[in-house]
Amino acid sequence: MNSLHLCNIKTYEKYLLCSHESPEQLSYPLLVSPKCIEKTGKILYVGQETNTWGNQGNNELSVEQLEYLYDSFLKNGATNRPYWKFIKDMIHEPLYDSVVWTNLLLCGKRDSMGTPEVSEFLFQLSEEYLWNLYQISQPSSVIIMSSPNSVYKHLIKRFLEKLNCQITETISSKQPVLIDEQKKVIWTYHPKFLALSKKTDLVQKSCKQYIMK
């Protein structure tokens, strides 16, 4: 069995425990399609959480259906929101061939935008999934697009520590992008914030020097 599919099965079993803690509040988890990582060396593109996910009727979705949903979403070019426009403007190949998409939090709110209520169990599960995905996908570079606030900062710090990354500071308005050249890891603000602060071009220029595409 594919290692990522097996990871997704185990992750989904644990997610169900989280969803029982917060009934009707959490979206389905974002489970990366094993087909998307058949080619290693893509960019690992990390956001914050989904704005809903998998709300397709009243039937409970399976791991295979969630993997298919992920696969179809990327193959169809995702969306034209700032988050996706940011990475599309930097790559030369189709999104599906260049990027493995994931989030700091495994799931978001079921019916709305924003940070869900994060239990310690969900925090640990999200941290575990991101690390496993990094090891399995073997990315050429990592771009983390996230606010330095709330639970996101803690998840980022834990991930960077596991990577033995040299990024020890926190992004700020004066320093909106941080880069570890050796590990090829980039941390910057969410593209929506970059657009509002008119720093998109500056950050994209910095990113293009280090992503292996």
Side-chain angles (χ1 to χ4, degrees):
M1 184 181 290
N2 179 283
S3 58
L4 180 56
H5 181 61
L6 182 59
C7 175
N8 285 342
I9 291 173
K10 292 179 178 178
T11 299
Y12 190 66
E13 290 173 352
K14 294 177 181 178
Y15 156 81
L16 291 175
L17 298 177
C18 294
S19 64
H20 291 156
E21 288 182 346
S22 307
E24 306 302 320
Q25 293 182 26
L26 296 176
S27 72
Y28 277 101
L30 184 71
L31 300 180
V32 176
S33 168
K35 293 181 180 179
C36 189
I37 63 162
E38 288 177 352
K39 181 180 78 171
T40 58
K42 296 183 179 182
I43 299 165
L44 184 59
Y45 192 51
V46 186
Q48 296 181 166
E49 75 278 308
T50 57
N51 295 324
T52 74
W53 187 253
N55 292 353
Q56 300 178 336
N58 296 321
N59 295 326
E60 185 172 300
L61 297 183
S62 66
V63 170
E64 290 78 11
Q65 287 172 315
L66 289 168
E67 291 173 346
Y68 177 79
L69 175 61
Y70 177 98
D71 203 63
S72 300
F73 182 77
L74 279 196
K75 277 185 176 177
N76 291 326
T79 70
N80 288 320
R81 289 180 176 176
Y83 178 81
W84 290 110
K85 190 174 186 308
F86 183 90
I87 191 67
K88 288 178 183 178
D89 287 346
M90 293 198 299
I91 57 179
H92 304 295
E93 298 175 335
L95 188 67
Y96 189 81
D97 297 327
S98 305
V99 170
V100 174
W101 166 48
T102 192
N103 286 314
L104 294 167
L105 287 173
L106 182 66
C107 51
K109 293 182 178 180
R110 181 178 290 271
D111 299 313
S112 61
M113 298 173 63
T115 310
E117 184 176 336
V118 181
S119 66
E120 181 62 26
F121 191 77
L122 177 56
F123 182 97
Q124 292 177 359
L125 183 58
S126 299
E127 178 188 1
E128 179 183 280
Y129 190 74
L130 177 59
W131 180 242
N132 287 337
L133 181 61
Y134 174 84
Q135 293 180 302
I136 295 169
S137 64
Q138 301 175 45
S140 60
S141 54
V142 180
I143 304 179
I144 302 171
M145 313 290 298
S146 172
S147 160
N149 300 322
S150 187
V151 67
Y152 311 122
K153 179 179 178 179
H154 298 296
L155 282 166
I156 292 168
K157 290 296 185 183
R158 296 282 283 269
F159 179 62
L160 296 181
E161 286 171 4
K162 286 185 176 181
L163 281 176
N164 195 23
C165 189
Q166 296 305 305
I167 297 175
T168 56
E169 301 173 87
T170 300
I171 54 174
S172 64
S173 57
K174 293 182 178 179
Q175 196 171 23
V177 58
L178 295 170
I179 299 171
D180 182 327
E181 296 183 30
Q182 183 179 7
K183 298 292 185 179
K184 296 185 174 62
V185 174
I186 299 168
W187 177 19
T188 187
Y189 286 95
H190 190 280
K192 188 172 182 180
F193 178 86
L194 292 176
L196 290 172
S197 59
K198 303 187 186 304
K199 293 182 178 178
T200 300
D201 291 342
L202 172 67
V203 172
Q204 280 185 329
K205 185 177 179 180
S206 296
C207 292
K208 284 179 181 179
Q209 296 180 55
Y210 299 102
I211 61 173
M212 304 300 288
K213 289 291 167 186

